[in-house]
């Protein structure tokens, strides 16, 4: 147990799927897992462990932003000996050619904060995803006929930015924006574990296309199934 997770060590699987929203974690567990049980509810950050294709998997909410996923992913890696975490979430696109519901496999995360330096002694604004996990996602997607985009995700600390963001993203060659991967990847490196991020494009900041909350919920399942199948592949 930790200050933020009251699960027993045996309650958490070696592979974790991590959406930001606890209610989305609940919905995924109900839809895809068998024999699942709620193993954490501290601060209403729900975590569920069950079976998918006979492989034990934990679905765990992360909350929003690097500080939140930083706490939960570090504790899962360090104190629950989790080997793999795949973050799943939504992203805004800085590329006009990315359409709604396209899937983006993050190759590296760009962050402006000092999180990586303070938490992992990594003095860089760019942190790569774990090569093995990234490549496994790409292999599974290819076999399943799922098209993925790859590139750099901006793990923004501020949702409502003061200045105009598109010029900033062009300067740093950023493809999409989300809020968590920079901390997740730093924690994987410092704990010598594996992390990746899969994102579904929910809005395009160039073309101004945007999905509703209900549309996001209903159209993210291809990404979820890709992540689940990847975790099964890792455990075989």
């Amino acid at each position: 147990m930790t200050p933020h997770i009251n699960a027993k060590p045996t309650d958490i699987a070696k592979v974790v799927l991590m959406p930001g929203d606890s209610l989305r974690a609940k919905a995924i567990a109900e839809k895809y897992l068998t024999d699942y049980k709620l193993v954490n509810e501290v601060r209403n950050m729900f975590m569920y462990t069950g079976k998918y294709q006979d492989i034990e998997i934990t679905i765990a909410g992360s909350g929003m932003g690097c500080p939140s996923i930083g706490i939960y992913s570090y504790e899962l890696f360090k104190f629950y000996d989790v080997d793999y975490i795949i973050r799943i979430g939504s992203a805004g696109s800085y590329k006009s050619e990315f359409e709604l519901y396209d899937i983006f496999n993050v190759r590296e995360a760009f962050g402006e904060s000092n999180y990586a330096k303070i938490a992992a002694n990594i003095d860089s604004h760019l942190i790569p995803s774990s090569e093995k996990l990234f490549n496994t996602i790409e292999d599974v997607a290819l076999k399943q006929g799922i098209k993925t985009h790859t590139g750099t995700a901006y793990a923004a600390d501020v949702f409502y930015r003061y200045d105009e963001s598109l010029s900033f993203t062009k300067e740093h060659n950023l493809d999409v924006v989300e809020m968590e991967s920079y901390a997740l990847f730093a924690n994987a490196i410092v704990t010598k574990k594996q992390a990746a991020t899969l994102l579904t494009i929910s809005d395009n900041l160039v073309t101004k296309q945007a999905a509703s909350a209900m549309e996001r919920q209903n159209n993210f399942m291809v990404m979820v199934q890709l992540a689940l199948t990847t975790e099964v592949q890792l455990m075989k």
Side-chain angles (χ1 to χ4, degrees):
M1 296 175 60
T2 71
H4 310 97
I5 304 173
N6 63 1
K8 295 181 293 186
T10 54
D11 285 339
I12 303 292
K14 290 293 186 181
V15 289
V16 173
L17 193 63
M18 185 166 266
D21 186 350
S22 283
L23 293 180
R24 189 168 293 165
K26 180 176 184 289
I28 293 169
E30 291 174 344
K31 184 175 179 65
Y32 292 106
L33 300 188
T34 59
D35 302 322
Y36 66 88
K37 63 178 180 178
L38 178 66
V39 296
N40 182 68
E41 53 188 333
V42 175
R43 295 175 178 260
N44 286 329
M45 195 57 69
F46 303 141
M47 300 183 184
Y48 298 86
T49 297
K51 295 286 186 69
Y52 180 77
Q53 296 182 6
D54 295 323
I55 300 297
E56 189 175 64
I57 290 177
T58 295
I59 315 292
S62 72
M64 290 190 292
C66 283
S68 185
I69 198 171
I71 289 171
Y72 291 106
S73 63
Y74 185 86
E75 291 184 356
L76 289 169
F77 281 142
K78 184 72 174 180
F79 304 117
Y80 286 88
D81 201 26
V82 167
D83 291 327
Y84 304 98
I85 294 177
I86 300 177
R87 158 166 154 66
I88 54 171
S90 59
S93 172
Y94 295 127
K95 303 294 184 180
S96 59
E97 61 267 28
F98 292 175
E99 298 184 2
L100 295 187
Y101 316 123
D102 280 358
I103 295 176
F104 191 89
N105 185 11
V106 177
R107 186 180 296 278
E108 58 188 359
F110 177 91
E112 294 177 272
S113 76
N114 290 324
Y115 183 95
K117 179 62 177 177
I118 296 169
N121 197 31
I122 298 172
D123 193 10
S124 176
H125 289 296
L126 275 174
I127 303 179
S129 64
S130 301
E131 183 177 7
K132 175 184 176 181
L133 194 43
F134 176 91
N135 288 335
T136 303
I137 290 170
E138 289 296 287
D139 290 343
V140 170
L142 182 63
K143 291 175 183 176
Q144 294 190 337
I146 299 172
K147 179 183 177 181
T148 62
H149 302 284
T150 67
T152 305
Y154 172 33
D157 293 308
V158 178
F159 190 88
Y160 300 104
R161 192 179 179 93
Y162 175 76
D163 58 352
E164 195 273 314
S165 64
L166 289 180
S167 58
F168 173 84
T169 61
K170 289 177 182 177
E171 177 186 350
H172 294 281
N173 197 28
L174 307 175
D175 298 302
V176 300
V177 60
E178 47 97 57
M179 300 189 77
E180 288 83 27
S181 295
Y182 186 67
L184 175 62
F185 294 174
N187 283 346
I189 290 172
V190 76
T191 59
K192 297 180 172 58
K193 298 300 180 72
Q194 297 267 322
T197 292
L198 274 174
L199 302 167
T200 296
I201 302 301
S202 59
D203 52 300
N204 190 303
L205 302 170
V206 180
T207 66
K208 307 304 181 183
Q209 291 178 294
S212 69
M214 183 59 66
E215 288 171 333
R216 295 184 191 197
Q217 183 73 24
N218 294 336
N219 289 283
F220 281 12
M221 292 308 169
V222 173
M223 171 184 65
V224 172
Q225 290 175 305
L226 174 56
L228 287 168
T229 305
T230 297
E231 294 197 327
V232 169
Q233 184 67 36
L234 291 166
M235 299 306 290
K236 285 185 176 178

